[in-house]
Amino acid sequence: MSSPPPRRASSDPRITAGVIALAAISLLIGGAFAGLLFEGAHDFSGAWAAFDPYLLRVVRFTLWQAALSTLLSVGPALFVARALSRHPRFLGRAFILQLFAVPLALPAIVAALGILALYGRAGYFSGVFTGIGGGSWPGIYGLPGILVAHVFFNLPLATRLLLEALQTIPADQWRLSSQLGMGARPAFRLIEWPTLRAALPGVAGLVFMLCITSFTIVLTLGGGPAATTLEVGIYQALRFDFDPARAVTLTLLQIALTFVVVLALTRLGANVVGDTNLPVAPRRYLPVNGTETLLNVVLIVLALLFVVGPMAATVMAGLGADLGRLAGEVAVRQATLTSAVLAFLSALLSVTLSLALTMARRALALNHRSGAKAMLEHAADTGAGFVLVVPPIVVGAGWFLLLRHVGDVFVIAPVMVVAVNAVMAMPFALRAVRPAYDAASERHERLCAQLGIAGWNRLMLVDWPSLRRPLATAFAFAMALSLGDLGVIALFGSDSVQTLPYLLLARMGSYRTQDAAGLALLLGLVCLALIVAAHWLGREKNRDA
């Protein structure tokens, strides 16, 4: 097939849209850095004085809890993924994999409340732990709670990613091993382990990255200064101590730490977005004996119970709340409306930016503009890097410091929540939109160039039928992420601007646990419904293709 005739790059509106999108993202990130640098230069001595034993302790705990969480998540995931791989077809396997995807959709504060309902001082298992320990159960706050929550989120993710790696083993290798009469141990050593070993650094690095940028989990389950990470330290320095110099130091350390980890992930070829789609399991040719089958069943059931437990506890605790009274509260209705509006605007902005970058990248590729193409391609392909290197709490802290010299920082809370959450969701939106747009461009680019169809007319008449479902998928996922986010609203939230996660945190802080459980149930169900819709739309898109 011959390539379409080139269009002058300067006249292609897709490139203009991409440049505008890049400028908006650069303004958001650059403004945060400007606020940090201005504050650091304004109070350099204070920022330097922040390097004290407390700061070193926070850095040490940040790395320590991330390392432990990674070990406890990825280690068991190796065995669970192998157990699922060794049994590619059994009743309920697809359902288990779907349940393992649920933690990815749950807001962190909802999961934290479920873990407290299960393992907390007044949790369902408190009597068991009291009987085992011989004294009163102190609860799970501190490092144990952080580790349990991180394993809850990352064990299923690591399992799915390692299972995806095992599914790439060619069926010919299994056929040959069966013909040679190879047992389970030699098959693991010669066939499965080399694949797992190649995938392990990237998976472990991704989990470690997620743990050092974990804000909500540490904020809700940390339990005090002894269990504080850099991001929680930034929040405390700005909202409680109002120590801008310390906040700048903590923020710069967080950026440096995440940059180093992201650079290592890039060199390892890790998928920083954490795609959860799994290919169809290939046929296995090695028989599985009864003992191995029993061990695999035990592993899968234990992992399933660990993942399902907090979710079930969240539902049970939520149903025990006075949902009718909560629904009638003005504060709850206002927070729900605010969350819905901000999440809708954030998802709309995220999808718009992602589509603009995708279109510009494709247009530059067709015009053979290598320099500009490389810039936009790098921005589109590594959009997740913006989120990981500069997490939402860091962007919020930079703008908080910058805007406090201008006026009331809490007035601009809705704008900051929408903008930061939109950029945070861009990596997922790009993964949904870009393949569909590239495929549509491959089919229609030459015809559009010959007929002179461009801009809005091309988008609505030519591209829209192919992009409708991918855009809906990206929109639903971005809206779910924005609904459950607590990072930016924790800094900019106030009595006049409250989202559901912010209100939930406030109810937990005032020990109104039943109200918090009811709000968590509402928030979790809405986010799960959006993720199910995104998954269904994505599946229908693939089926149509």
Side-chain angles (χ1 to χ4, degrees):
M1 180 178 178
S2 59
S3 60
R7 172 190 291 270
R8 289 183 58 192
S10 60
S11 64
D12 197 326
R14 293 177 295 179
I15 297 176
T16 303
V19 171
I20 295 174
L22 268 183
I25 298 170
S26 300
L27 177 62
L28 181 67
I29 305 298
F33 276 100
L36 294 172
L37 294 175
F38 178 80
E39 192 66 38
H42 182 261
D43 191 6
F44 180 78
S45 59
W48 181 256
F51 284 94
D52 54 13
Y54 170 77
L55 179 63
L56 297 178
R57 187 169 67 249
V58 169
V59 173
R60 185 167 59 248
F61 181 80
T62 301
L63 296 174
W64 176 239
Q65 62 85 23
L68 285 178
S69 298
T70 302
L71 180 64
L72 295 174
S73 300
V74 178
L78 282 169
F79 299 98
V80 178
R82 182 179 181 272
L84 289 168
S85 176
R86 293 286 284 165
H87 302 276
R89 293 181 181 87
F90 64 85
L91 184 63
R93 184 180 188 272
F95 179 69
I96 291 174
L97 292 176
Q98 291 299 324
L99 282 177
F100 277 13
V102 170
L104 299 175
L106 275 182
I109 193 169
V110 174
L113 198 65
I115 290 170
L116 287 175
L118 202 61
Y119 306 110
R121 181 177 300 176
Y124 296 113
F125 285 166
S126 60
V128 177
F129 294 136
T130 299
I132 294 175
S136 61
W137 172 241
I140 202 172
Y141 283 107
L143 181 60
I146 295 171
L147 294 179
V148 169
H150 282 166
V151 175
F152 167 77
F153 279 107
N154 296 314
L155 172 64
L157 173 63
T159 298
R160 291 175 66 90
L161 292 175
L162 291 171
L163 180 58
E164 181 179 356
L166 287 172
Q167 306 291 48
T168 63
I169 298 176
D172 292 342
Q173 292 189 17
W174 292 111
R175 186 183 298 110
L176 179 60
S177 62
S178 178
Q179 292 171 352
L180 296 175
M182 192 177 294
R185 289 185 179 179
F188 174 77
R189 180 168 56 88
L190 298 175
I191 298 177
E192 293 172 315
W193 175 241
T195 300
L196 290 172
R197 184 176 57 195
L200 193 57
V203 174
L206 174 61
V207 173
F208 186 83
M209 183 77 255
L210 294 174
C211 292
I212 66 171
T213 56
S214 175
F215 170 72
T216 305
I217 291 298
V218 182
L219 180 65
T220 53
L221 296 176
T228 299
T229 58
L230 286 170
E231 291 200 356
V232 175
I234 296 168
Y235 167 75
Q236 292 173 343
L238 290 178
R239 288 302 300 259
F240 294 103
D241 304 330
F242 197 72
D243 188 349
R246 180 175 294 278
V248 169
T249 303
L250 291 168
T251 303
L252 293 178
L253 282 175
Q254 178 69 41
I255 293 173
L257 183 60
T258 50
F259 177 79
V260 170
V261 178
V262 168
L263 184 63
L265 279 173
T266 304
R267 294 183 65 86
L268 292 171
N271 175 15
V272 292
V273 179
D275 191 13
T276 60
N277 294 321
L278 290 172
V280 178
R283 182 182 175 186
R284 291 288 184 265
Y285 294 90
L286 287 181
V288 183
N289 59 42
T291 302
E292 185 183 358
T293 299
L294 178 61
L295 290 175
N296 290 338
V297 168
V298 171
L299 281 172
I300 294 171
V301 170
L302 288 177
L304 185 62
L305 290 176
F306 182 81
V307 172
V308 171
M311 294 188 288
T314 300
V315 174
M316 294 173 63
L319 292 176
D322 190 349
L323 298 177
R325 178 181 58 80
L326 281 176
E329 288 188 17
V330 176
V332 174
R333 292 203 303 267
Q334 186 63 39
T336 303
L337 178 61
T338 301
S339 293
V341 172
L342 295 183
F344 178 87
L345 294 175
S346 177
L348 184 62
L349 179 59
S350 180
V351 169
T352 302
L353 293 173
S354 301
L355 181 59
L357 287 179
T358 299
M359 292 190 303
R361 180 188 176 278
R362 178 65 177 170
L364 288 168
L366 295 173
N367 282 278
H368 308 292
R369 293 288 297 275
S370 57
K373 172 197 168 185
M375 179 185 67
L376 280 177
E377 183 176 2
H378 181 73
D381 291 344
T382 61
F386 284 113
V387 178
L388 291 176
V389 176
V390 189
I393 188 69
V394 172
V395 178
W399 278 97
F400 189 97
L401 294 171
L402 182 65
L403 294 173
R404 77 185 187 94
H405 298 287
V406 178
D408 188 359
V409 296
F410 301 107
V411 173
I412 203 171
V415 177
M416 293 307 306
V417 171
V418 169
V420 176
N421 287 342
V423 175
M424 180 185 67
M426 275 185 59
F428 301 93
L430 284 167
R431 291 183 69 87
V433 174
R434 178 179 159 183
Y437 185 82
D438 287 350
S441 175
E442 189 70 27
R443 292 193 302 267
H444 306 305
E445 192 71 38
R446 185 175 183 83
L447 179 62
C448 290
Q450 291 174 342
L451 297 178
I453 303 176
W456 182 257
N457 289 331
R458 169 174 173 164
L459 178 63
M460 297 306 299
L461 298 176
V462 179
D463 296 328
W464 177 250
S466 300
L467 293 176
R468 185 173 61 248
R469 284 192 179 277
L471 287 174
T473 300
F475 185 89
F477 206 101
M479 190 169 178
L481 289 177
S482 182
L483 271 173
D485 179 69
L486 185 62
V488 182
I489 194 64
L491 284 176
F492 289 89
S494 61
D495 291 338
S496 58
V497 181
Q498 292 186 339
T499 62
L500 275 177
Y502 187 88
L503 183 62
L504 201 164
L505 181 66
R507 296 291 169 92
M508 290 178 65
S510 59
Y511 300 101
R512 299 171 65 178
T513 54
Q514 283 196 337
D515 286 359
L519 294 174
L521 179 61
L522 171 63
L523 180 60
L525 289 177
V526 173
C527 290
L528 283 177
L530 287 169
I531 294 297
V532 169
H535 176 74
W536 178 79
L537 289 167
R539 186 174 57 183
E540 290 296 316
K541 173 194 69 175
N542 294 332
R543 184 180 301 170
D544 294 342

